[in-house]
Amino acid sequence: MAPPLNHPPGMNFVGDPQHEQRPIDADASVYYGGTEYHSRSRTYSTSTSQGPKRSTFQDDWHLRPRRMSHDEKSHSAPRRFLIDVEETIRLVLEQEDTDGDFQISITDAGPKILSLGTATSNGFKTFDIRGTYMLSNLLQELALARDHNRKRIVLDEARLTENPVDRLSRMIKNSFWHSLTRRIDGDGLEIICADPKNRTGRIQPRIYVPHGEPSMVDYYRRIASEKPHLNLDVQVLPPNPGDPYFVKSLNSKPGILALAMNEVDDGRGGRTLKGIPFIVPGARFNELYNWDSYFISLGLLVDGQVQMAKGIVEHFVFEIKHYNKILNGSRSYYLSRSQPPFLTDMALQIYNQLDRSDLEANRQWLKRAIQAAIKEYHTIWVAEPRMDPKTGLSRYRPEGVGIPPETEATHFTHILEPYAAKNGLSVNEFSERYNNGTIREPGLDEYFLHDRAVRESGHDTTYRLEKRCANLGTIDLQSLLYKYEVDIATAIREVFDDELELEEDFDLAPFPPSVEAYANPHRERSSARPQTSAEWFARADFRREVIDKYCWNESKSLYFDYDTVQEKQSLYESATTFWPLWAGCASEEQGWKLISDSLKKFEVLGGLVSGTEESRGKISLDRPNRQWDYPYAWPPHQMMTWVGLERYGYLEDAQRLAYRFLYMMTTAFVDFNGVVPEKFDAVRLSHLVDAEYGNQGIDFKMVPREGFGWMNAAYQVGLSFLTNHMRRAVAACTSPEVFFGRTMMGEHTAAPPSSVVNDPLGLAMENLTLSPTLSSLGSATPPPSYSLP
C-alpha cells in the first residue's frame, strides 16, 4: 500500500466544503484574499496553449485542435480551473496580446483560445477558454489574484462568463469607487500631491492652506516634519486668494489646495485632523473637480455611498467659505475659476437619503449647504462680471491674467506664434513677457478671456463656445441657476419654516437686475435680514422669463445661447438644449417641441451627441475636431437628458437613450478588456478617439482599476432607467437597431453613415494598418447584434 501523503497543517484542498461557500461574484479582496486552495495531486497543472501561438484569422481555423474526449461536457457541475498565476499571465500575454498593450481586445490577432486544467480532474482534463471577453476576463482575474499575492488559484468559470452588465456594475460599485477615493491628509498626500499635468515633473510637492485655518496649518507642517521624504512645502493663502494677479504669481509654484477635514481621536488620547474622503475623476485628473463630482455623486447614491457623497458637499461648502467659490478643481491654478453650479441639487438629493435617526443634525447639515449656495450665487453667478445687467443673463466669465498654466506646453503655440512673430520673439520669449505684463496684446487678452470661460463652462473645448464664451448667456448656466433658485426657495419653505438666517456677511446682488441697479455701489448685506422663499421663487420666475425671451427659439424648437455683446442668439445646436427639462423651467409645450421636433437632431446609435454635425461644420487640418462637439458623447449630457425626459413624462425616450449609451459602454467593456473611458464617439461606437486630448481612462495594464468617474456614474444611473428586459438585451450586446427595430431608428434618428464599418475585426485591421499609435486609430464599431465573444 502506498504511504499516505503528509501535508502541512491547515492546508485546504479543492473540493473541501469551505470552498463551496465562496461567492462567485465576490469582490477580489474576498475571492482572492481568503484561504488558498491546493490540488490533492502531486503536481499542479498549468494552462496550455491550443493551436499556433501566432494564429491570425479565418485562414487557419483548420489548424485548431478538435474537441477531445477528455473535455468536460457542458452538462457537468460548475467548472473550476486550477491555475498557476504567473505562468498563465505569461502565456496569455505572449499568445493573445499581439499589440503589446497588456490588454486582450478585438484589435489583438491572437487565436483567442486557451486551455485550462479543471479542478475536479486535478488539472488533468482541460477546457477551452474562447473569445475576447473570456480571455480578457481571465487576464483581469489573474492580475487581481497577483494583487493578493496568490501564486496558484482555483478559479470559477462563472468569473470568466459573468454577465457583462453585472460584472461592470459590480466592478464600479466594489472596486472603481474605492480606487478613485482620495484624502488630503498625512495618509493621502503622497498620492494626491503628484500632479499628472505637471509639465516638468520637477516642481516640489506643495499644499496651500486657506487663511483662517491655523489648526490645519499646524497639522500639515507637522506632517511635513514627520514625513521628510514627501519634501512637502506648506504655504498659507491670503484672505482673497482668487485675486487674478495673485493666482498668476503661483504659476511657477503650483500646488494642491487644502480641503475640509474632521477632528478625530488620534488613538493616543489626543485629537488630530483627518481628511474627508472624496472621489476624483480618474486618469490624469487627480484632484477634486466641481461638475464631475455632481455626476459622480449620482452614481454614489445609486450604489448606497451616501456618506461619500455627503463628504464631497462638505468640501464644496469649505471651498465657498475659504476660496469664495466652488473651484474648477482643487489646484492653485484654479483659484479664480469655478465650474457649472450643481450644489443645491446635490445637497438636496443627499439630504433625502440621510439616516432619519437624527433629523435635526440632517437639517443643520442642509442649512450649511444652502447658506453656502446662497453666498456662491450672490458673489459669483449674479455678480459682475459674470452677470450681464442689461439682459439679466449670467455668463461663464472668470477673471484671470496671462496664459492658463494647466495646459500642455504646446497647447497655445498656434495662437501665440503670430503675436511672437509680430514682436520679433520666439514663442517662449513672447509667452514670458506677455505673462509678466511687459508686452500687452488686447487681442490676445480677449482670446484668453474666452478660453478661461470655456474651461469654467466645463465644455472645454467646442466650436460652440470658442472665442465668444465669456459673452454668452449659455442655456446650460441659466438652467442650473434656475434650479438653484427653485431649490433654495423650496428648502427655505419646506425645511427652514420659510426663514433662513445667513451667517456670513456679504453683498447681495440687486434684484431685479438692471444696468442702473448694478451701477449703484450701495448693496444690501446678507446679514441685514433672513431669506424667504418668496424672493427666491421671484428670482426663479424672472430667470424663466429671461430664458424664454433670449434663449428659446420657437421656430427651431430649441434653446440657444444668447450673445450679450452681439445681442442675438448663437444658433449652435447643443445637447444642453435639454437642460431646461432637467431644471424644470421649460413649459409643457416647449418640452413637447424639444422631444418631437429636436431630439432626432442629437440621437445617434450610441446616445446623444454633444452637438449637431451641421452646427460643428466641416473639419480639416486647419480646423480640427473639438472633443465637446459632434460626434462625441459625454456622460453629463446623457444623465441630464434622461432625468429631464423622465421629469416631463417621456420615460420611454429616456429609456431608449439610456439603452443606447449603456449598449455602447457594454460593448466597449466586452471588446476592449473592460475599458470604461472618459468619452465616446457615439456615431462609430468607439472610445478610440483622437480629438484634442485623446481619451482618458483607457491606459491600464491587464485589469481596469478605476474606470472613469462620471462614466462609472452614467452606467449605474443608466441601469436604473432600464427594464429587466432591456438590461438582459444590453448584456447580450443587442444593438439598438435590433432591439428597437429599424423603423424606430428611422423615426427617431438617422442611421449610421454608410461609411461606418460594422465589423469590429475588419475595422480593427483597418486601424492597425493606418498606424500603431492610439492617436491615429479609428473607431471600432460592433456589429448590430452579437453574442458574447
Side-chain angles (χ1 to χ4, degrees), residues 44-71:
Y44 207 101
S45 70
T46 60
S47 307
T48 58
S49 169
Q50 295 289 341
K53 290 201 174 179
R54 283 293 182 271
S55 170
T56 53
F57 302 107
Q58 287 85 354
D59 294 341
D60 66 347
W61 281 102
H62 65 282
L63 298 177
R64 309 269 176 99
R66 296 183 64 181
R67 187 173 295 278
M68 304 302 289
S69 60
H70 65 258
D71 287 348

Side-chain angles (χ1 to χ4, degrees), residues 183-203:
R183 290 204 323 264
I184 303 181
D185 57 19
D187 295 327
L189 278 169
E190 295 194 50
I191 297 176
I192 205 163
C193 272
D195 187 354
K197 301 179 292 301
N198 185 342
R199 293 179 186 173
T200 67
R202 297 190 299 272
I203 295 176

Side-chain angles (χ1 to χ4, degrees), residues 648-665:
Y648 278 72
Y650 300 100
L651 179 58
E652 289 186 0
D653 295 279
Q655 290 175 321
R656 187 181 68 254
L657 292 176
Y659 184 98
R660 293 186 183 284
F661 197 71
L662 267 60
Y663 163 76
M664 179 168 61
M665 286 188 67

Side-chain angles (χ1 to χ4, degrees), residues 339-357:
Q339 259 195 326
F342 284 95
L343 177 58
T344 59
D345 186 76
M346 189 174 178
L348 286 171
Q349 290 210 44
I350 293 166
Y351 174 75
N352 288 330
Q353 294 195 35
L354 291 177
D355 186 343
R356 296 288 191 241
S357 61

Side-chain angles (χ1 to χ4, degrees), residues 102-123:
F102 292 89
Q103 299 176 20
I104 308 301
S105 65
I106 59 170
T107 57
D108 286 305
K112 300 293 173 69
I113 181 172
L114 192 78
S115 292
L116 297 178
T118 59
T120 54
S121 68
N122 283 324

Side-chain angles (χ1 to χ4, degrees), residues 6 30 94 204 483 580 612:
N6 294 318
V30 175
E94 179 181 302
Q204 180 180 7
K483 187 68 161 57
T612 63

